[in-house]
Amino acid sequence: MSNQNIHRGVIMADVENSLEFEKYDKKLTHNMTLDLLKEAVLANRAKSGEAEIRHLQNAIYLCEDEGIGDDPMVVEARDFYLPRFTARNRFLESFRREDRQMIRACLEEVEGTPLEQFLHVEVRQAAVVLDYLEKVDALQRQNQRKNSQMVLSGKALSELRSYRKPPPLLLRIVKATLLLLGEIEDKTDDWKYCQKMCTPTGPNSLNRRLADFEPENVHVEIVARVREMLSKSRDGVAHPDIDIETVEKVGAGTALVFYVWAMTAAKRSSEIQRTNREKRGFSYEDVIRPANRRRQRELMTSQSVTAIPSHRIY
């Protein structure tokens, strides 16, 4: 065999090896890209937030750039998972904002579509939240027709203070109300202290403090804790677990007045804080942790009783 033929054979072998390596390298790259897509889908199954959805979108774009946009896994992620996770995130955002118009728009968007079955939990929750918001607003309007401020009669406060051991639900509602007024949980764990704070007359009477309440001066973490006390949390979203009809039966109606005031005051404070934070370029949902007891002590000792919110994001 001539040297020329040997040289040609070596060159052809190198070419074949190069092509095989290129095929192997491309397959390896495709597999790695699909693994990233799997991770993005799993992340959205656990939690559908804006960051997770962007992660999924970017993974889909990467697959398309790699020329595997027709892969069944990519098609499923693009046509099935992405619209469903996006719709679920809109539902969760509407619950966080307690925006009835946004909730109704989400319901209209999925009604009669395959999304409705996939998001059946969120659809049911939307009905619960809408009903809850309507009832609270109706009760608030009813109270406003009677008086522009929440006022408890001496008889109602005397009855409240007469409990030696209040029902757990009543205690929780009173503690949440007093926390908005600057009384930390370390103190309100003692029912005698709560009784003392519910005096009907005098310069430091409960009615006077309620009348002087300014929702814009309550720290965002205190508001988050109050909302946590009056609701249960799942996936970062508040879901009412206190039925208004149940509250009406506790404390001869006094609990209902406290409950409506605390919920509406917390809601109003949240709206003000959201506006203020968005004006400063922050997202209202940026990791606002409910104030634990240590944090409550810090806030109430370092600032005024109703602590003015810091610009920091905790």
Side-chain angles (χ1 to χ4, degrees):
M1 183 181 295
S2 67
N3 289 337
Q4 185 176 5
N5 289 337
I6 294 173
H7 183 62
R8 184 182 295 112
V10 171
I11 292 175
M12 290 303 296
D14 288 343
V15 169
E16 289 175 2
N17 289 336
S18 176
L19 290 174
E20 287 297 324
F21 179 77
E22 185 177 345
K23 290 178 183 178
Y24 172 78
D25 186 54
K26 184 175 291 187
K27 184 176 181 181
L28 181 64
T29 302
H30 290 173
N31 288 340
M32 291 174 64
T33 306
L34 290 174
D35 285 342
L36 290 175
L37 182 62
K38 288 179 185 177
E39 291 176 4
V41 171
L42 291 174
N44 275 272
R45 281 177 172 169
K47 175 188 175 184
S48 289
E50 291 184 8
E52 288 77 18
I53 289 174
R54 282 197 301 270
H55 183 197
L56 179 58
Q57 289 173 330
N58 291 335
I60 293 171
Y61 295 152
L62 183 60
C63 290
E64 292 172 343
D65 289 342
E66 291 291 335
I68 53 174
D70 293 334
D71 186 278
M73 187 184 299
V74 180
V75 173
E76 184 181 40
R78 181 179 55 235
D79 298 341
F80 182 83
Y81 286 118
L82 182 59
R84 283 158 175 75
F85 293 146
T86 302
R88 184 171 74 179
N89 185 55
R90 282 198 290 269
F91 267 108
L92 298 180
E93 180 65 19
S94 70
F95 297 158
R96 293 188 190 100
R97 292 180 175 271
E98 295 184 346
D99 186 329
R100 276 172 288 190
Q101 185 175 356
M102 188 175 178
I103 294 173
R104 292 191 183 102
C106 290
L107 287 171
E108 291 175 3
E109 181 182 348
V110 304
E111 186 177 4
T113 71
L115 290 173
E116 187 173 14
Q117 179 60 31
F118 182 82
L119 299 170
H120 62 94
V121 173
E122 287 74 18
V123 169
R124 287 200 304 269
Q125 187 58 43
V128 171
V129 174
L130 282 174
D131 180 63
Y132 163 76
L133 293 174
E134 291 290 348
K135 286 181 177 179
V136 169
D137 284 354
L139 287 167
Q140 188 181 20
R141 288 192 298 270
Q142 181 181 354
N143 287 344
Q144 287 174 343
R145 283 196 297 269
K146 294 178 180 178
N147 198 314
S148 59
Q149 299 287 344
M150 169 179 146
V151 176
L152 286 162
S153 67
K155 180 181 178 181
L157 287 175
S158 296
E159 181 178 346
L160 178 69
R161 298 172 69 200
S162 68
Y163 283 101
R164 294 186 61 184
K165 185 178 180 181
L169 180 56
L170 176 60
L171 177 61
R172 179 159 43 134
I173 293 170
V174 171
K175 283 165 61 74
T177 302
L178 292 176
L179 182 57
L180 282 171
L181 297 176
E183 305 296 341
I184 62 177
E185 292 179 75
D186 282 346
K187 294 181 179 179
T188 57
D189 283 339
D190 183 357
W191 176 241
K192 290 183 178 179
Y193 184 85
C194 293
Q195 291 172 309
K196 182 180 177 181
M197 292 298 103
C198 293
T199 53
T201 59
N204 294 320
S205 69
L206 181 62
N207 283 331
R208 174 65 63 86
R209 295 179 70 181
L210 293 171
D212 292 341
F213 176 76
E214 296 180 350
E216 63 273 15
N217 288 338
V218 184
H219 197 282
V220 290
E221 295 174 57
I222 295 294
V223 175
R225 173 55 183 156
V226 169
R227 294 169 71 92
E228 184 179 64
M229 292 170 74
L230 298 178
S231 62
K232 60 184 177 180
S233 180
R234 185 176 72 244
D235 297 333
V237 182
H239 298 272
D241 71 330
I242 301 178
D243 183 78
I244 290 179
E245 285 74 15
T246 303
V247 176
E248 284 183 304
K249 301 173 184 177
V250 178
T254 306
L256 180 63
V257 181
F258 273 91
Y259 175 69
V260 172
W261 184 87
M263 287 299 294
T264 52
K267 181 182 177 185
R268 177 59 181 152
S269 182
S270 295
E271 292 168 351
I272 294 172
Q273 301 297 348
R274 179 181 293 113
T275 301
N276 291 341
R277 292 170 74 84
E278 289 176 351
K279 284 180 179 178
R280 294 197 295 265
F282 299 130
S283 167
Y284 182 74
E285 305 302 335
D286 282 342
V287 196
I288 299 175
R289 298 190 183 96
N292 58 25
R293 293 174 181 248
R294 180 184 61 79
R295 183 63 175 151
Q296 290 173 29
R297 291 192 294 271
E298 290 175 358
L299 291 171
M300 298 308 179
T301 56
S302 65
Q303 299 178 351
S304 60
V305 172
T306 49
I308 298 173
S310 165
H311 69 279
R312 294 181 298 164
I313 299 175
Y314 297 93

